[in-house]
Amino acid sequence: MGSLIQLKGAAMLNLTTDCQAWAAELPGLYLDVFTASEGEAEGRAVAALVVELLQSTPKCDLMGALALDGDVLAGCILFSRLSYDQDPRQVFLMSPVAVRTDRQKSGIGQKLIRYGLEELRQKGISFAVTYGDPAYYEKTGFQPITIAFAQPPLPLSMPHGWLGQSLNDEDAPLAGPSRCVQAFNKPELW
Ligand SMILES: CC(C)(COP(=O)(O)OP(=O)(O)OC[C@H]1O[C@@H](n2cnc3c(N)ncnc32)[C@H](O)[C@@H]1OP(=O)(O)O)[C@@H](O)C(=O)NCCC(=O)NCCS
C-alpha cells in the first residue's frame, strides 16, 4: 500500500513511501470516525469494508495515503482499482476517506486527498472517481459525472454523488462497463 504525509498542525512536512506498518490501525480508525459521524452500524460496516479491502485486494489494485501527526494516525484514504476493460486508461476509486474526529475541519482531508491524487498521477493513473458529497469533494477537483461518462460497477442509489476527475489532460468518457475490486462488489455499498 501507498505512502504517507507527515503533518504538524496543518503543514505537510515530509514524505516516506511505506505505510504497511500502519495497516493494522486502519479498521479502528474507520470504526471510530464513521461511528462518530454516521452511527454504530455504519462504523462497523465501513471498518469491515476496510478489513476486506486490505485482505482481499491484489497489491497492484490497492493504494492508500496516510496522514501522520508525529506517531498519531490522523487520517487515511484508500484507492482501489476500477477496471474499464474497453478503455486503455487506468482508473482508481477513492474510498473510503477518514480524518480522526478530533482533527477534522483543519484541512487534513483536503491535503490528504490532493496528496493521494498526485501520487496516483505520478504512477500513471489517468482518472479518479469517488462517490460522496459533491460539496466536499469539489474542493479537491472532483466534478459530478454521469453514469454515461463513466459506468459505475453497480447501480448507484445516489447518482448525484458520482464524481470524477482526470489526472492527465484527457477528459473523454470512459469506454464500456467497469469492474470494482471484490470488497466493493456489494450492491448495498452503492
Ligand atoms: C469528510 C472528511 C474526510 C473531511 O476531512 P476534514 O479534514 O475534516 O476536512 P477539511 O478540513 O479538509 O475540509 C473542511 C471543509 O470541508 C467541509 N466539510 C467537511 N466535511 C464535509 C462533508 N461531509 N460534507 C460537506 N462539507 C464538508 C467543512 O465544512 C470545511 O469547509 P470550509 O473549508 O469551507 O470551511 C472528515 O470530516 C471525515 O472523516 N468525516 C467522517 C467520515 C466521512 O464522512 N468520510 C467521507 C465519506 S467516505
Side-chain angles (χ1 to χ4, degrees):
M1 211 177 58
S3 46
L4 54 86
I5 60 178
Q6 299 276 358
L7 300 162
K8 188 177 179 190
M12 188 187 298
L13 293 182
N14 58 51
L15 312 177
T16 75
T17 53
D18 186 10
C19 38
Q20 286 295 347
W22 290 93
E25 293 206 20
L26 297 186
L29 170 75
Y30 282 94
L31 177 68
D32 292 348
V33 169
F34 279 84
T35 298
S37 71
E38 319 274 334
E40 267 181 42
E42 185 69 8
R44 277 198 301 272
V46 177
L49 166 68
V50 169
V51 168
E52 191 178 351
L53 268 172
L54 295 172
Q55 284 177 352
S56 71
T57 312
K59 268 193 172 148
C60 59
D61 293 344
L62 184 66
M63 290 189 248
L66 305 183
L68 293 189
D69 186 359
D71 57 1
V72 174
L73 180 57
C76 177
I77 42 177
L78 295 174
F79 296 96
S80 59
R81 189 178 298 279
L82 211 48
S83 302
Y84 287 84
D85 296 335
Q86 297 172 24
D87 198 292
R89 287 169 287 178
Q90 294 197 74
V91 181
F92 272 73
L93 168 71
M94 184 181 82
S95 180
V97 181
V99 172
R100 255 179 76 118
T101 305
D102 60 1
R103 300 296 308 274
Q104 290 174 4
K105 300 201 176 188
S106 62
I108 292 173
Q110 291 171 67
K111 191 166 295 191
L112 192 51
I113 292 168
R114 288 207 183 89
Y115 175 75
L117 293 173
E118 181 56 30
E119 289 279 302
L120 252 56
R121 189 191 330 269
Q122 286 180 14
K123 289 180 167 63
I125 311 307
S126 300
F127 202 86
V129 300
T130 193
Y131 187 40
D133 187 338
Y136 182 66
Y137 291 109
E138 283 174 0
K139 293 176 192 290
T140 47
F142 285 95
Q143 296 292 327
I145 51 174
T146 65
I147 60 172
F149 183 91
Q151 289 187 42
L154 287 157
L156 303 179
S157 61
M158 296 183 304
H160 70 279
W162 189 231
L163 311 170
Q165 68 174 292
S166 174
L167 302 178
N168 54 25
D169 289 334
E170 198 177 342
D171 55 7
L174 289 156
S178 65
R179 289 181 291 115
C180 57
V181 300
Q182 178 189 313
F184 271 108
N185 198 18
K186 299 181 171 66
E188 65 272 21
L189 295 177
W190 299 88

